[in-house]
Amino acid sequence: MPFDPRTHTDYRAGQQIFLRRPVAAAPDFSPKVLLLTSGLGQGHTRVAQAIAAELTQRGTDHETFDLWSLMNPGVASIVQHTYLRLVQEHPALYERLYQLDEQTWRQVLESEQGPPAEVLEVLELIASIAAEADPPAVKSLKYSSDRFLLSLLCTALPYDGTSLAGNGVRARLALMKWTWMRLVKRLENVIRDAEPDIIVCTQMIPAAMVSALKKRHRLAIPTIGVLTDFGVHDFWIQPGVDRYCVAHESMRDAFAEDRRQGDAVATGVPLMPSFAQPLPQDEARRQLQLPLDARVVLVLGGGLGLGVEAVASRLLQPDAGMHVVVMPGRNAQARAALADLARTHRDRLRVFPWTERMDLFLRAADLVVGKPGGVTVAEVLACGRPLFATRSLGGQEGFNVRFLERHEVGALVRDHELFERVCDTFSRPEWLSTMQTRAWALGQRSGARYVADMILDMSWAAQVQRQTSVEH
């Protein structure tokens, strides 16, 4: 018997409609939630943590699994290093790769035909970067065969740009497809061991893996995709995903055109509980011991701490009259450079380590300069602050920059223009206040609660459907 939403009671949360717990559900039913994420960057993991925190508060059983745990740890280290070099050293090529549509990726992973030339070019580059990587310190025996497969992928003969015949190209593609199916099978084992009632994916690769299992009728579990950026890569659009949680209403159009997948709901990006009710600026500054009357710029580099020392140097020009607070993430090299800078600018520069209370720093600042990751953008807006991005790695960060610019709450600013742009913003306090007000209105502070509501609703609905099927 198909699930009929008319048998449920509706309630409104903002402009979104969610389903409450079905009356017919077993009163003692407590769902098990499996959160699938990717720890390559902080964003996907952070969103999974925010959802987990909300589920914990409700007493709901849950488990989080990182995509990279499906690989040998040493191989995972090399692949992550290769990805970071690709996006930092070859941004144009990475952008071309990211813009390839879902059908192209299906062709790579599922079709017998060869992929487009740009895919082969990227594969060749990735193989060369991976081959140059230092052997990882991790010597785990888990999935040890992955080391042999990576070696084969890196040593296959290069593509000559003319044909798929020979040159090791077909062998490399076959290895990629076989590796993909091995990872999908490993994920199937993880899911069967966890025995979840519902799956939540905060990254598109595990969502695609779950979809592959569903298409082969290996899995029949409700699945939610939680997007962490302000745009939709169409590899997210998978027939096995039943519901999507997106950052903003404008993103729903990307799903409305394709009826193979579930509906999209603008829940906002799930954030940690401290973002639900951010403190007033004065109180945040008191807790951080920052001057109450200062003009404060917060510089963020994401989890990798990219470029923060160079940005801080530009903002600390003589007579600028601004205080600079820097969060270098886990970048030890950036922290060392900032320590030298802090000795020169003792009264104007503060450097803080990684923190779980990013909301305090965002509320204490007047504006933010940083890497435009999706979760960073969501957190900045939730605290009512504009964001100037000094660099964008392309891909998903391009979505985020365009969102900021479209709503006039930030922009991509060239390095040599940053100081002048920040000074100009401070010289127009009314404009700064307008941007802050606009950012606060765009910010979503209840995303984790809305997503948790959806998880429980869909779990209970699936339980009702199972009960009804048994009865009939």
Side-chain angles (χ1 to χ4, degrees):
M1 177 180 176
F3 169 53
D4 182 2
R6 293 172 299 178
T7 62
H8 297 67
T9 303
D10 291 343
Y11 75 96
R12 289 190 177 273
Q15 295 181 343
Q16 305 301 326
I17 298 177
F18 299 91
L19 297 174
R20 301 190 76 176
R21 176 176 176 173
V23 177
D28 59 347
F29 173 66
S30 179
K32 169 70 179 292
V33 183
L34 178 61
L35 295 158
L36 300 179
T37 189
S38 168
L40 180 57
Q42 293 295 320
H44 307 297
T45 302
R46 192 73 169 165
V47 166
Q49 290 171 343
I51 298 170
E54 182 67 27
L55 293 173
T56 297
Q57 187 175 8
R58 300 176 186 219
T60 302
D61 188 17
H62 59 84
E63 177 182 344
T64 301
F65 184 83
D66 191 331
L67 166 69
W68 295 94
S69 297
L70 297 174
M71 297 183 191
N72 174 269
V75 171
S77 175
I78 291 176
V79 174
Q80 291 171 354
H81 166 80
T82 301
Y83 169 80
L84 293 175
R85 279 196 57 187
L86 175 65
V87 299
Q88 293 178 54
E89 300 175 15
H90 306 274
L93 192 56
Y94 172 70
E95 180 70 12
R96 287 169 57 195
L97 181 68
Y98 189 85
Q99 293 301 329
L100 294 175
D101 62 21
E102 173 217 5
Q103 296 304 320
T104 302
W105 287 112
R106 291 195 186 285
Q107 184 177 331
V108 172
L109 295 173
E110 300 174 7
S111 171
E112 294 301 321
Q113 302 176 8
E118 55 262 52
V119 173
L120 294 171
E121 183 181 354
V122 171
L123 294 181
E124 182 62 33
L125 175 62
I126 289 174
S128 64
I129 294 174
E132 296 170 2
D134 294 331
V138 181
K139 298 296 183 181
S140 172
L141 295 177
K142 182 180 180 181
Y143 302 135
S144 57
S145 61
D146 291 355
R147 292 176 176 272
F148 177 65
L149 288 174
L150 180 64
S151 176
L152 288 177
L153 184 65
C154 293
T155 56
L157 294 175
Y159 173 59
D160 65 5
T162 59
S163 74
L164 284 169
N167 301 317
V169 173
R170 289 195 181 279
R172 182 172 287 167
L173 291 175
L175 280 171
M176 284 189 62
K177 294 174 185 178
W178 188 43
T179 300
W180 169 257
M181 294 313 301
R182 277 163 55 95
L183 293 175
V184 170
K185 178 61 179 176
R186 289 172 185 175
L187 180 60
E188 179 183 2
N189 293 335
V190 169
I191 294 171
R192 299 215 180 277
D193 289 343
E195 298 183 328
D197 295 289
I198 190 165
I199 297 172
V200 181
C201 302
T202 66
Q203 208 269 352
M204 63 185 180
I205 303 301
M209 291 178 168
V210 171
S211 180
L213 290 170
K214 284 189 167 186
K215 284 190 297 184
R216 298 207 310 273
H217 305 289
R218 303 288 297 174
L219 197 65
I221 300 174
T223 302
I224 297 175
V226 181
L227 280 67
T228 60
D229 293 290
F230 288 77
V232 183
H233 187 292
D234 83 347
F235 197 61
W236 259 114
I237 303 176
Q238 297 285 347
V241 180
D242 303 291
R243 189 77 56 83
Y244 294 91
C245 300
V246 298
H248 189 260
E249 186 72 23
S250 60
M251 296 168 60
R252 297 182 64 202
D253 294 343
F255 297 94
E257 298 172 358
D258 193 322
R259 303 316 306 168
R260 293 173 302 153
Q261 35 48 224
D263 295 328
V265 180
T267 59
V269 176
L271 303 178
M272 297 301 286
S274 57
F275 285 91
Q277 294 181 315
L279 291 174
Q281 185 178 67
D282 285 356
E283 179 58 29
R285 289 191 178 186
R286 287 190 186 96
Q287 292 196 25
L288 297 176
Q289 299 181 347
L290 295 172
L292 298 183
D293 58 350
R295 297 185 296 182
V296 178
V297 180
L298 175 62
V299 179
L300 303 175
L304 299 174
L306 298 176
V308 289
E309 64 275 20
V311 171
S313 296
R314 291 188 178 90
L315 295 176
L316 289 168
Q317 293 184 33
D319 302 322
M322 66 181 75
H323 286 252
V324 180
V325 176
V326 186
M327 310 284 290
R330 297 182 171 88
N331 189 326
Q333 183 176 354
R335 287 198 302 271
L338 287 165
D340 292 337
L341 198 60
R343 283 189 283 271
T344 306
H345 302 276
R346 295 181 184 276
D347 297 329
R348 297 175 52 207
L349 174 63
R350 297 280 302 278
V351 181
F352 288 87
W354 174 261
T355 177
E356 292 291 337
R357 290 300 308 276
M358 188 60 71
D359 58 297
L360 275 180
F361 291 86
L362 292 169
R363 287 297 288 169
D366 293 297
L367 60 83
V368 181
V369 175
K371 182 174 173 288
V375 175
T376 295
V377 171
E379 291 179 344
V380 170
L381 295 179
C383 290
R385 298 294 178 256
L387 174 64
F388 291 154
T390 55
R391 62 178 64 195
S392 170
L393 298 178
Q396 63 273 27
E397 291 188 359
F399 287 134
N400 303 330
V401 168
R402 289 190 289 273
F403 182 86
L404 292 170
E405 293 177 339
R406 186 165 65 249
H407 293 279
E408 297 183 335
V409 290
L412 182 62
V413 182
R414 297 177 184 273
D415 288 348
H416 67 277
E417 298 173 343
L418 177 63
F419 178 73
E420 182 179 348
R421 185 68 174 269
V422 171
C423 289
D424 179 63
T425 302
F426 278 130
S427 71
R428 297 188 291 162
E430 291 184 0
W431 172 242
L432 175 58
S433 178
T434 297
M435 284 199 294
Q436 291 174 340
T437 301
R438 197 179 288 130
W440 180 267
L442 277 172
Q444 295 286 341
R445 288 163 283 279
S446 301
R449 176 164 61 86
Y450 293 164
V451 172
D453 286 342
M454 187 180 297
I455 290 170
L456 296 179
D457 294 338
M458 291 178 64
S459 301
W460 283 319
Q463 173 71 358
V464 170
Q465 186 170 347
R466 286 192 294 268
Q467 290 176 347
T468 306
S469 297
V470 170
E471 293 171 359
H472 288 78

